[in-house]
Amino acid sequence: MSEHRRKPPQPQGGGRAAARRAGQQSSGRRAAPSHNAAAESGSASYGEESSHGGRAEARRAAQRGGRRRGPDPAAGGAGRGGRGGGRRATGGGRGRGAGGDGPPAKKRFIDYPRAGKSGFRRWVPSWRLVTGTFIFFFAALVSAVGIGWMIVDVPTAQAASQAQKNVYYWGDGKQMVVSGGGDLNRQIVPLNKIPESMQNAVISAENASFYQDSGVDPMGIARAVVNMARGGATQSGSTITQQFVKNTYLDQSQTVTRKLKELFISVKVGTVESKDYILAGYLNTAYYGRGAYGCQAAARAYFDKDCEKLDPSQSAFLAATLNGPNLYDPNGGYGPTASAEANTKRATARWSWILKREVQVGRLSKSEAQHYLAKGFPRTKSPKVATNKQGQIGYLTDLADNYVVANTNISKAQLDKGGYQIHTTFDRKKIGELKNAVEKVTKENIKPKQRVQDKYVQFGGASVEPKTGKIKAIYGGSDALQHYRNNADYTGVQVGSTFKPFVLAAAMRDGVRDRNGPRDQPDSERTKVSPSSVYNGDNKLTLRDYDGSVWKDKNNQEWHQSNDGEEDKGKVSLRTAMQYSVNTPFIQLGMDVGTDKVRDAALDAGLSKEQLASITPTFSLGTSAPSAIRLAGAYATFAASGQQADPYSVERVEDKDGEVYNHKEDAKLKRAFDANVANNVTDVLKNVVERGTGTSAKIGRPAAGKTGTTDQNKSAWFAGYTPQLSTSIGMWRVDDRAKRQVFRSMRGVGGQKTIHGASFPAEIWADYMRQAMAGQPAKDFPAATPIGDKVYGESASPTPTTQKPTQTPSETASPTPSPTPSETTSGSPSPTESCDPLDFKCNQNAGGDNQGNENAGPSGDPGGPSPSPTTEPPGGGLFGGPSGSRKDQ
């Protein structure tokens, strides 16, 4: 062995053991021959001596019985010793040195790294070290468990699991409704009323070893961790006992302390309570979704039957919901990943797995499992709300609940358990006024027993306060106990020409692109647009890109946009085009500005990205489907001179310990548009109400708004505002109880040939706003000053150029209106009224008889073959909600 690989020097006596054995040997035996000369010499190197001696050599010498004597102690050290004596201490010492010259050997309490070993053996622990370490940690664990067992007591179940109620308050602080707690449909049932199929499904899915374990299953926890790491289906890491303890005695916090308490209490409960008691307690306290705690309430919520009548298939489904009801309710849940389609897919897979799992663990016969699998996924009932939520109350509390879940740390399960005071933004008086306005129009005009066209007519609406975003009122439908979808929320209904103000705002803020600019830099030169800009309003114009080239669709076909009634309007200003809702100028303006800029303007105003349609030319004409709440909130941005505030429904939330949420901490007022851009949009929309398609929305005070009607007359809207309140009203026709919901044409509804935004929606808007504004001073909008350049659109001028606007009284922003304008429309404008010279009805009746030019589709029939919208939303609600659920949008 080379010098640098030798062991460290060793004491020359061979250690205590070797000395003892050497002392026991006879002194007359012959010494064994040494292996090298250095070992027999007192001058041998210390390293060499150490590398050939040691404990192993001593042990071999002892086994040979000491028949041979080692070297004479007087000869100068023990060296390697002899085979008979090993290393002996000289001078009577017990192996502490060679000839009295070596240092005493120091014995360590923990021999690691191991002395006397070289190479990898130096780092391999001895069996004594391994055993000692195991015993030490085992003793420490037992001690910790013993201490925990002594200090952790089982809490009082009744006090910990008692449900409370939620109290909802109106915006003025008065109590609206008491809900939650006792309203959760919790009915405790004994285990003999819970079918074995339900017990077997839950045990198989959650804790197959339930009747054998002690309440805590370490192998189950490890198995869950491994399976999750592998990406496979897993059983819960917690036993049924642990989940029962968590639901009954503890809170839902995810802390180490809470988890340790759960483990100790679970072991204690497992020793003092029967398995049947624990199983019954778990099945009666677990949350299954839809506000249902316990299998009896869940059976009623999903299948409208008592728990004891559940079959194995239905039991397997309810067991599946325990894995997370928000993601397994086929009706949908909260958040973008919890749509009805995604939830149904997940629930079906989980249901199928549970049936197969029951067979695997011997709790269901294979033939029965095959029978129910062949029958398919069990059909569930539509969700119903508690009976104290009739009328609009159910829509209001659901709206508030969704906001709380989306904006606080309070989960839906915690909220349903009760104990919260929820202060909303809702104005009780305005809620009643909006409801009365809808019911008045419905009672006078909608007669489904007399006209088949009047069946399935729906209304939805919302009011939002500018600058704050407070949702003051909504109309969600006829009754929350009969019509479950909140019509103020996302419904999938397109808004038509009420979208055009966002096109105009983008044109004034961002400008149109230079037609002669470089194609690779379309934004290099832009010209901001004035409302006096001129565009061609003729029917079925060839749509062109911003540079004048003919725009073609993916099938290489030209696009010819229609106006309502196939009417040619000639050259019109954007002000006039908005006044009479002419389509062709705005679809071309959207191309000149860029539909991406139009989208950005709509988002900045407050619309939700998930509710916007895909970007095509007709995007500028309102193919998107924002909710009534979002549309009212976006118009409120114009009312607030460009300041945007997100709509919200909850001011603050309190529990027994005090305030847990306050909206003021999250309130953000953003600058969406320059004040003059927003004020010019308002000035143009005032003209719509005063002399355009929206004259039926006059309310005796300054107001601005826009009508909207969609392709094939499937929906109609009016959205408008005063400086104090923004309101949108929508109308459409759909069978909300049909399995496949399809929007239907409203031609013939109410005995009218067609329905436009200026008809029933504007009538409801005006009736409601007169009441809502009663007693408040009539305020004027901020004055708009001239903005942008007078741009001539494609084919609107012989030369495709821009010029600085030559301001005339007719082309400038309209003068500040009187606080009390006339509600009637005269045959021609009075001498004091301004009239756009490009207004083709300037010298004619300025009334709102022309309701049209609002269809959004391409050529063909008016509006073209754009696909019919469906009620399945492309994204979540205002507060994170999925399709088909009642959430703010």
Side-chain angles (χ1 to χ4, degrees):
M1 180 179 296
S2 63
E3 187 69 28
H4 68 279
R5 294 289 302 275
R6 292 171 183 162
K7 298 180 184 178
Q10 298 288 331
Q12 296 185 8
R16 298 181 180 180
R20 280 198 304 270
R21 287 191 294 271
Q24 295 170 0
Q25 296 173 8
S26 60
S27 58
R29 303 284 177 90
R30 278 171 36 189
S34 64
H35 287 267
N36 56 47
E40 298 175 357
S41 169
S43 62
S45 73
Y46 190 69
E48 279 292 328
E49 172 193 338
S50 179
S51 66
H52 292 279
R55 299 179 182 177
E57 187 70 22
R59 279 199 302 272
R60 287 193 293 271
Q63 291 169 358
R64 285 191 289 271
R67 287 189 295 270
R68 284 180 286 184
R69 182 185 296 270
D72 188 347
R80 288 175 55 199
R83 293 189 179 271
R87 288 175 295 183
R88 274 188 313 178
T90 62
R94 295 180 58 190
R96 295 189 179 273
D101 296 331
K106 185 177 181 181
K107 188 173 183 179
R108 294 181 296 171
F109 180 74
I110 299 178
D111 185 23
Y112 192 83
R114 298 176 66 185
K117 299 293 182 181
S118 63
F120 77 94
R121 292 181 180 85
R122 177 174 171 81
W123 303 101
V124 177
S126 67
W127 67 269
R128 292 183 180 87
L129 181 60
V130 172
T131 303
T133 302
F134 173 81
I135 293 173
F136 172 81
F137 282 107
F138 179 79
L141 179 61
V142 170
S143 299
V145 170
I147 294 172
W149 177 271
M150 289 186 292
I151 65 175
V152 175
D153 293 323
V154 178
T156 303
Q158 290 78 5
S161 60
Q162 182 179 5
Q164 303 179 67
K165 295 180 181 295
N166 293 324
V167 182
Y168 297 81
Y169 298 90
W170 295 104
D172 61 4
K174 294 182 179 179
Q175 184 173 302
M176 178 200 304
V177 67
V178 176
S179 183
D183 297 326
L184 294 176
N185 286 326
R186 173 183 284 169
Q187 300 94 36
I188 304 298
V189 293
L191 192 62
N192 59 11
K193 293 289 185 180
I194 301 175
E196 288 189 4
S197 65
M198 185 67 194
Q199 300 177 43
N200 290 333
V202 172
I203 291 173
S204 300
E206 300 291 316
N207 183 193
S209 63
F210 170 68
Y211 279 103
Q212 289 78 43
D213 62 48
S214 61
V216 177
D217 182 13
M219 292 302 297
I221 297 174
R223 193 163 50 245
V225 172
V226 172
N227 286 343
M228 282 193 300
R230 295 168 55 188
T234 68
Q235 290 176 258
S236 170
S238 298
T239 64
I240 287 176
T241 304
Q242 287 176 261
Q243 295 179 64
F244 165 69
V245 166
K246 180 176 66 175
N247 294 339
T248 306
Y249 304 108
L250 303 172
D251 58 29
Q252 304 295 315
S253 62
Q254 299 296 320
T255 63
V256 175
T257 302
R258 203 275 299 159
K259 193 66 178 176
L260 289 174
K261 286 183 178 180
E262 176 187 307
L263 293 173
F264 288 126
I265 295 173
S266 297
V267 175
K268 280 196 171 183
V269 169
T271 60
V272 299
E273 301 290 355
S274 69
K275 289 291 186 179
D276 286 351
Y277 173 86
I278 295 171
L279 181 60
Y282 173 65
L283 293 175
N284 277 305
T285 58
Y287 182 61
Y288 297 79
R290 298 192 181 183
Y293 289 83
C295 59
Q296 171 65 16
R300 280 291 177 186
Y302 288 98
F303 302 108
D304 197 22
K305 62 169 61 177
D306 289 330
C307 179
E308 60 184 340
K309 296 181 180 179
L310 294 172
D311 63 35
S313 178
Q314 295 166 334
S315 297
F317 165 76
L318 291 183
T321 64
L322 295 174
N323 206 42
N326 185 58
L327 298 176
Y328 288 84
D329 185 346
N331 190 68
Y334 304 100
T337 63
S339 66
E341 181 180 356
N343 278 16
T344 300
K345 184 177 180 180
R346 274 189 292 265
T348 302
R350 181 76 176 174
W351 161 82
S352 175
W353 177 83
I354 289 175
L355 288 174
K356 295 174 183 177
R357 175 69 175 170
E358 289 184 70
V359 175
Q360 182 182 357
V361 299
R363 291 188 172 273
L364 184 68
S365 67
K366 187 175 182 180
S367 60
E368 281 187 286
Q370 291 174 339
H371 168 73
Y372 289 111
L373 288 170
K375 286 182 66 176
F377 187 68
R379 185 176 180 180
T380 60
K381 302 288 184 181
S382 297
K384 295 182 179 180
V385 295
T387 56
N388 66 337
K389 296 184 179 182
Q390 68 275 7
Q392 299 302 302
I393 297 298
Y395 303 127
L396 296 172
T397 56
D398 280 358
L399 203 62
D401 287 352
N402 295 341
Y403 184 87
V404 169
V405 171
N407 292 275
T408 72
N409 294 324
I410 302 171
S411 69
K412 186 63 168 65
Q414 290 172 312
L415 190 63
D416 286 342
K417 285 185 177 181
Y420 297 98
Q421 294 83 51
I422 301 171
H423 297 261
T424 74
T425 62
F426 306 133
D427 186 313
R428 183 175 186 176
K429 181 174 177 287
K430 289 181 173 61
I431 292 286
E433 291 166 345
L434 182 54
K435 174 177 175 288
N436 292 337
V438 174
E439 290 180 348
K440 178 182 176 183
V441 166
T442 302
K443 183 178 180 180
E444 293 176 355
N445 302 279
I446 310 301
K447 304 182 184 299
K449 294 182 179 180
Q450 299 179 18
R451 289 184 294 265
V452 66
Q453 295 92 336
D454 288 2
K455 289 184 177 180
Y456 313 128
V457 173
Q458 304 284 342
F459 291 95
S463 282
V464 174
E465 185 176 82
K467 294 185 180 180
T468 67
K470 293 180 180 179
I471 301 173
K472 288 295 187 177
I474 64 168
Y475 180 82
S478 57
D479 193 322
L481 298 181
Q482 300 173 15
H483 173 74
Y484 307 124
R485 181 186 293 272
N486 186 348
N487 289 346
D489 193 1
Y490 184 86
T491 56
V493 179
Q494 295 181 358
V495 295
S497 291
T498 57
F499 201 82
K500 288 175 181 174
F502 306 120
V503 185
L504 181 61
M508 291 190 293
R509 182 182 71 174
D510 301 310
V512 296
R513 294 171 284 188
D514 183 7
R515 298 175 187 171
N516 300 317
R519 289 290 295 175
D520 60 340
Q521 299 179 10
D523 293 329
S524 58
E525 294 291 336
R526 283 183 174 268
T527 302
K528 294 183 178 180
V529 173
S530 165
S532 62
S533 298
V534 180
Y535 272 74
N536 194 332
D538 283 342
N539 184 54
K540 290 190 176 180
L541 288 179
T542 298
L543 184 67
R544 296 181 180 275
D545 209 339
Y546 75 93
D547 61 354
S549 61
V550 175
W551 192 93
K552 295 184 179 181
D553 61 19
K554 61 182 180 180
N555 298 319
N556 203 33
Q557 299 295 314
E558 294 185 6
W559 197 299
H560 300 277
Q561 180 59 45
S562 297
N563 288 328
D564 188 47
E566 304 289 329
E567 296 181 11
D568 291 326
K569 303 300 184 183
K571 297 177 182 179
V572 293
S573 69
L574 294 178
R575 184 183 186 83
T576 299
M578 186 75 78
Q579 180 179 344
Y580 296 105
S581 200
V582 188
N583 282 338
T584 48
F586 281 97
I587 192 172
Q588 185 60 58
L589 179 63
M591 296 297 289
D592 293 347
V593 174
T595 48
D596 59 331
K597 296 295 185 182
V598 175
R599 176 201 60 203
D600 293 345
L603 292 173
D604 291 342
L607 297 189
S608 171
K609 182 178 181 180
E610 291 77 12
Q611 298 169 10
L612 295 182
S614 57
I615 299 297
T616 65
T618 54
F619 178 80
S620 298
L621 301 182
T623 54
S624 298
S627 67
I629 292 173
R630 280 291 187 183
L631 187 60
Y635 270 51
T637 301
F638 297 132
S641 295
Q643 296 182 90
Q644 189 269 333
D646 286 335
Y648 72 100
S649 59
V650 175
E651 291 281 11
R652 69 182 187 277
V653 181
E654 300 168 343
D655 64 8
K656 61 183 178 62
D657 297 321
E659 190 173 86
V660 295
Y661 172 79
N662 193 313
H663 176 75
K664 291 180 180 178
E665 299 172 359
D666 297 333
K668 296 178 182 178
L669 193 62
K670 297 175 288 187
R671 171 60 65 182
F673 304 102
D674 179 78
N676 199 39
V677 170
N679 293 342
N680 268 274
V681 171
T682 295
D683 189 73
V684 171
L685 296 185
K686 282 198 305 181
N687 193 51
V688 173
V689 174
E690 292 168 4
R691 287 183 290 274
T693 60
T695 54
S696 55
K698 287 185 176 182
I699 59 173
R701 64 172 64 214
K706 184 69 186 76
T707 55
T709 308
T710 59
D711 180 37
Q712 300 179 33
N713 207 200
K714 290 184 176 180
S715 64
W717 289 82
F718 187 85
Y721 51 92
T722 66
Q724 301 101 320
L725 192 66
S726 176
T727 301
S728 65
I729 303 293
M731 177 181 179
W732 56 92
R733 186 168 171 250
V734 64
D735 181 3
D736 63 309
R737 296 177 182 269
K739 184 175 182 180
R740 182 177 179 271
Q741 297 182 16
V742 179
F743 291 107
R744 306 171 186 232
S745 174
M746 292 192 294
R747 295 189 178 107
V749 169
Q752 299 191 11
K753 183 178 179 180
T754 57
I755 300 296
H756 293 86
S759 56
F760 297 142
E763 183 179 341
I764 293 171
W765 186 93
D767 189 15
Y768 162 67
M769 290 292 283
R770 287 190 195 99
Q771 299 177 67
M773 293 289 98
Q776 298 189 41
K779 291 186 178 181
D780 207 350
F781 293 106
T785 58
I787 190 172
D789 294 340
K790 187 172 182 178
V791 173
Y792 289 90
E794 180 65 32
S795 73
S797 173
T799 57
T801 61
T802 63
Q803 67 179 46
K804 295 295 181 182
T806 302
Q807 299 292 353
T808 66
S810 61
E811 292 180 343
T812 59
S814 62
T816 301
S818 167
T820 57
S822 171
E823 293 188 46
T824 60
T825 304
S826 60
S828 61
S830 67
T832 59
E833 289 180 313
S834 62
C835 182
D836 192 329
L838 293 177
D839 179 352
F840 43 79
K841 288 199 174 186
C842 183
N843 296 315
Q844 303 176 26
N845 188 328
D849 57 328
N850 185 333
Q851 316 288 0
N853 305 304
E854 299 175 334
N855 292 326
S859 62
D861 292 334
S866 62
S868 299
T870 66
T871 56
E872 289 302 318
L878 173 65
F879 306 130
S883 56
S885 57
R886 295 189 289 274
K887 295 175 233 10
D888 285 4
Q889 299 254 345

